Amino acid sequence: MRIAAALPFWLSLGFVPLIAIGAAWGGWWLALAPLYAFGLISLLDAVTGLNTTNPDTDTPLDRLFWYRLITLIWLPVQLALIFGGIWHVGHADHLAWHEVAILFYAIGIATGGIGIVYAHELMHQKSPLERWLGDLLMASVLYSHFRSEHLRVHHPWVGTPRDPVTARYNEGFWRFFLRVLVSCPPSAWRAERAMLARAGKPVWHHTNPFWRYAALQLGFLMLAWVVGGWVGIGLFVYQAFVAVLHLELTNYVEHYGLTRRHLGDARYEHVRPHHSWNAAHTASNWLLINLQRHSDHHYKPDRRFPLLQTYDSGEAPQLPLGYPAMVVVAAIPPLWRRVMNPRVRAWRKTFYPDITDWSAYKAGTTPMPRGAS
C-alpha cells in the first residue's frame, strides 16, 4: 500500500504542535488540542462521510509498513509530551495552576485517546517488540493490567457478566467508570493466576506479567520524580487518570447494552458482529486507526488495523457519530440514554426478537459463563 494512503492515519501527530503551542503561550491556546480531538475530527467526519470499503485481508505485512510505523514511533512521542511537559512546568513561570491542569488534560487526551489505542493495536500482535511497546505505553498511563484484562477477559467474555467493561443497558458512564476502576485490576489478576495454574505455576512465578507491570510503572513514577519532583509525580498521575478516563469512555461506547444470548447451563453464544457498536466515519477512523471497525477486531483480534473490515447495519449496529463525538455524549448520561437507549431496543428487536424478558441481561445477573476464571 502506498505512503499516501497511510498518511491520514498519522493525524495523531497533530497533537504535538498543538500541545506545544498551548504550553508556550497558555491561555486560550490550551484549548487547541481538545478542540482538535473532539471538534475538528468530528467536523472532518461530517465532511469526509462514511468509508465502507473493505481492504484485501491477504495484503502482505511488508505492504503495511507506513501504516504500522506510526504505532512504532509513538512511544518516544508520548514520553516527550509527558516528561517534556513536566520539565516545562518546572522551568516556566507563565502558566497559572489552572492552565497547567488544562495542559496536562490535553496531554492525557493524547496519551489515552492515541497512546492507549496504539498500545491496544500493539498488544494484539505476535512480535515481541510490538508487545513491549504496548506494555511501555500502558505503563506510562499506570494502567498496565489493561493488557491482561483485555486479552484474557474482555475478548473471551465480552457481552457476558464476566466482562466488567461491557457497559450494561441504562448504566450511566460515571457509575460504569467507578465499577471498572474497582473491578478490572482484580479481574485481570484472577485471569493471569488461572492461566499460571493451568500451566502448573504459582502466582509468584516470574512469568506473571504483573511483576513486569509493577516494575515499568514504578520506573515511570521514578522518572517523573527525577524530572519534576513531587509536582512531577502529581502531574504524571493526573495525565494517567485523564488517559484512563478516555479509555474507559471508549470502552463504554463500544459495547453499551449489547449482550450475548445465554443458551442455558452457563453457556453463551459465540461473539458475533452485532455485539459491538461500529462507526464507519472516515476521519475518526483515521485518528483511531480503525478502532471503530470494532466488530471485525473481535472477529480477528490480531488483524492489523489497515485490514479491518466494516459491516453494514444489517450485520452490526452503527453509531450515529464517530467515537470522538460519542464519548462526549457518553459523559452526559441523560443525553447518552436519549441517544442510545432507543438504538439498543431496536438492536434487540432486530437480532433477538424472541427474547421478551431482558431484566437479567440489563442487570448483568445472567449466570457466570462456564470456564470463566
Side-chain angles (χ1 to χ4, degrees):
M1 294 185 178
R2 296 175 303 167
I3 298 176
L7 283 180
F9 290 97
W10 290 55
L11 279 175
S12 55
L13 291 180
F15 280 101
V16 177
L18 298 180
I19 289 172
I21 289 169
W25 296 346
W28 287 103
W29 296 105
L30 290 160
L32 287 177
L35 287 174
Y36 179 69
F38 303 113
L40 180 60
I41 297 299
S42 297
L43 286 174
L44 284 175
D45 271 343
V47 173
T48 56
L50 306 181
N51 177 11
T52 57
T53 60
N54 283 324
D56 180 4
T57 57
D58 292 326
T59 302
L61 185 62
D62 60 3
R63 295 189 63 192
L64 302 179
F65 173 78
W66 293 105
Y67 293 88
R68 296 175 55 219
L69 186 59
I70 185 60
T71 66
L72 300 177
I73 68 169
W74 183 257
L75 176 65
V77 173
Q78 177 152 311
L79 297 184
L81 288 174
I82 297 170
F83 295 105
I86 292 172
W87 184 89
H88 178 74
V89 166
H91 290 78
D93 58 4
H94 66 286
L95 295 176
W97 68 267
H98 67 279
E99 292 176 305
V100 173
I102 297 170
L103 172 62
F104 274 80
Y105 188 89
I107 292 172
I109 292 173
T111 59
I114 303 302
I116 295 180
V117 171
Y118 288 3
H120 168 258
E121 170 75 9
L122 293 164
M123 71 178 61
H124 275 288
Q125 307 309 321
K126 297 180 176 65
S127 158
L129 170 64
E130 288 173 298
R131 291 191 172 192
W132 265 103
L133 288 173
D135 281 349
L136 287 164
L137 284 169
M138 293 311 305
S140 71
V141 294
L142 302 178
Y143 218 57
S144 293
H145 69 273
F146 172 74
R147 180 187 183 217
S148 294
E149 177 68 14
H150 186 77
L151 299 179
R152 312 281 184 231
V153 181
H154 177 64
H155 270 270
W157 307 117
V158 63
T160 75
R162 177 62 184 92
D163 178 34
V165 299
T166 296
R168 300 163 188 164
Y169 178 80
N170 231 31
E171 180 181 30
F173 169 72
W174 299 104
R175 181 183 298 175
F176 166 86
F177 187 46
L178 291 174
R179 179 169 65 79
V180 298
L181 287 180
V182 171
S183 62
C184 280
S187 169
W189 174 266
R190 291 196 306 271
E192 292 293 354
R193 182 180 62 191
M195 185 169 230
L196 288 165
R198 288 193 292 271
K201 298 174 182 177
V203 72
W204 57 83
H205 195 269
H206 69 88
T207 56
N208 186 336
F210 270 79
W211 312 133
R212 180 170 72 254
Y213 300 162
L216 292 175
Q217 292 180 165
L218 181 61
F220 278 125
L221 285 168
M222 291 176 63
L223 181 56
W225 184 81
V226 169
V227 174
W230 290 109
V231 171
I233 289 180
L235 292 174
F236 182 82
V237 171
Y238 172 58
Q239 68 79 28
F241 174 80
V242 175
V244 170
L245 172 68
H246 287 83
L247 163 67
E248 297 302 353
L249 276 164
T250 304
N251 279 336
Y252 177 82
V253 169
E254 287 171 341
H255 302 282
Y256 174 77
L258 307 183
T259 51
R260 288 153 64 180
R261 183 195 294 270
H262 178 228
L263 303 174
D265 195 25
R267 293 180 300 113
Y268 287 82
E269 65 175 318
H270 291 299
V271 179
R272 304 288 299 278
H274 60 262
H275 293 125
S276 302
W277 288 104
N278 294 257
H281 300 78
T282 301
S284 48
N285 268 317
W286 287 336
L287 183 69
L288 301 175
I289 58 170
N290 281 338
L291 182 68
Q292 300 173 148
R293 296 187 166 199
H294 207 63
S295 289
D296 199 52
H297 170 66
H298 273 271
Y299 167 66
K300 191 76 170 174
D302 62 350
R303 178 171 283 165
R304 300 278 180 175
F305 78 84
L307 306 183
L308 288 171
Q309 308 289 288
T310 192
Y311 295 84
D312 62 34
S313 58
E315 299 172 286
Q318 304 294 315
L319 292 168
L321 301 168
Y323 283 10
M326 292 306 295
V327 300
V328 174
V329 178
I332 310 169
L335 178 59
W336 174 262
R337 293 188 185 101
R338 183 172 181 177
V339 171
M340 290 303 298
N341 282 8
R343 287 176 166 81
V344 175
R345 293 192 292 268
W347 172 86
R348 293 173 180 170
K349 291 178 181 177
T350 299
F351 295 103
Y352 300 100
D354 57 307
I355 299 179
T356 56
D357 184 4
W358 287 91
S359 55
Y361 292 97
K362 289 190 291 186
T365 56
T366 52
M368 195 65 68
R370 181 190 295 181
S373 55

